Amino acid sequence: MRDNEDQRVDGSRRTWLITTTVLGGIGGVAACVPFVGSFAPSEKAKAAGAPVEVDISGLKAGDLMTVAWRGKPVWILNRTDEMLADVKKAVPELADPDSKKVFSMPLPAYCNNEYRSRADHKNLLVAVAVCTHLGCTPTPRFQEGAQPNLPDDWPGGFLCPCHGSTYDLSGRVFKNKPAPDNLDIPPYMFTSATSLVIGKDEKGEA
Ligand code: FES
């Protein structure tokens, strides 16, 4: 009986954590990077999970933007060549470098590569910014090297402020962290050289 009560408390706490951290995360990331809102669908459609079209024409190399899809923050990171090199550098320290495990959605086949991105836009990472431990939103830590809460040989990536899980610049979780899985990569496709749609690809809507 007591166990059931504990599970219910844990469940509601987790829901609350996810809700508050997702909302907080959107605001937090948006404070340092533009929150982009070129949303074609209505608010109601978005809440129901409609695909979201995003204009990335202003996203310079090294920039991160956050959009909302299905009530979750989704990052779009325009990685520099140096950041792509950091992705390779991180491999020995990752728990699942080849993304064999699935968190809440399957990795799209076209992102089944070390950069977890489309081959024709390999510099662009599109990832759901929800920590796979308890749902907080990780924060960008792109600078390499020693800094608070990170190892001296930090290759650049993201740090979850809640319990210290870390992810590389492809959203792959580092070893021996509370988070068990890599960040989700949603289905997405480019509709022009400067715009993409999240939640939809050549196979249709997610
Ligand atoms: S929620 Fe991210 S480490 Fe716990």
Side-chain angles (χ1 to χ4, degrees):
M1 185 63 179
R2 182 69 195 160
D3 284 351
N4 287 342
E5 283 174 8
D6 288 347
Q7 282 169 6
R8 277 201 300 277
V9 170
D10 283 344
S12 65
R13 181 171 176 274
R14 186 171 185 277
T15 302
W16 181 87
L17 262 177
I18 289 171
T19 304
T20 53
T21 54
V22 164
L23 293 175
I26 289 175
V29 175
C32 55
V33 293
F35 186 91
V36 173
S38 62
F39 299 158
S42 68
E43 291 299 321
K44 194 174 167 189
K46 280 192 299 179
V52 173
E53 185 141 15
V54 186
D55 176 3
I56 57 167
S57 56
L59 193 67
K60 298 189 293 294
D63 279 359
L64 173 77
M65 70 197 308
T66 306
V67 299
W69 173 65
R70 292 186 170 175
K72 296 176 181 174
V74 175
W75 289 325
I76 304 171
L77 172 62
N78 187 359
R79 293 171 290 191
T80 61
D81 288 345
E82 191 180 1
M83 288 168 137
L84 292 176
D86 288 339
V87 166
K88 287 179 180 286
K89 211 184 290 179
V91 168
E93 304 302 323
L94 300 174
D96 181 16
D98 298 323
S99 299
K100 294 196 184 309
K101 289 169 63 190
V102 170
F103 179 51
S104 73
M105 62 185 73
L107 181 70
Y110 43 79
C111 290
N112 191 5
N113 54 66
E114 64 188 324
Y115 301 117
R116 305 177 88 213
S117 57
R118 284 186 170 261
D120 53 352
H121 290 85
K122 73 175 182 186
N123 55 312
L124 282 178
L125 172 70
V126 180
V128 179
V130 175
C131 180
T132 62
H133 180 219
L134 288 176
C136 294
T137 298
T139 52
R141 290 294 191 93
F142 297 158
Q143 182 69 41
E144 293 179 36
Q147 54 200 290
N149 303 316
L150 292 169
D152 290 352
D153 60 350
W154 176 244
F158 301 90
L159 168 67
C160 183
C162 291
H163 313 99
S165 290
T166 46
Y167 300 88
D168 81 334
L169 290 165
S170 284
R172 298 173 295 181
V173 71
F174 282 83
K175 289 176 187 168
N176 304 316
K177 299 294 177 182
D181 296 316
N182 297 338
L183 300 181
D184 279 330
I185 303 293
Y188 66 95
M189 64 188 289
F190 287 83
T191 50
S192 75
T194 56
S195 65
L196 58 84
V197 61
I198 297 170
K200 181 180 174 184
D201 58 18
E202 292 80 355
K203 290 184 174 172
E205 291 187 15

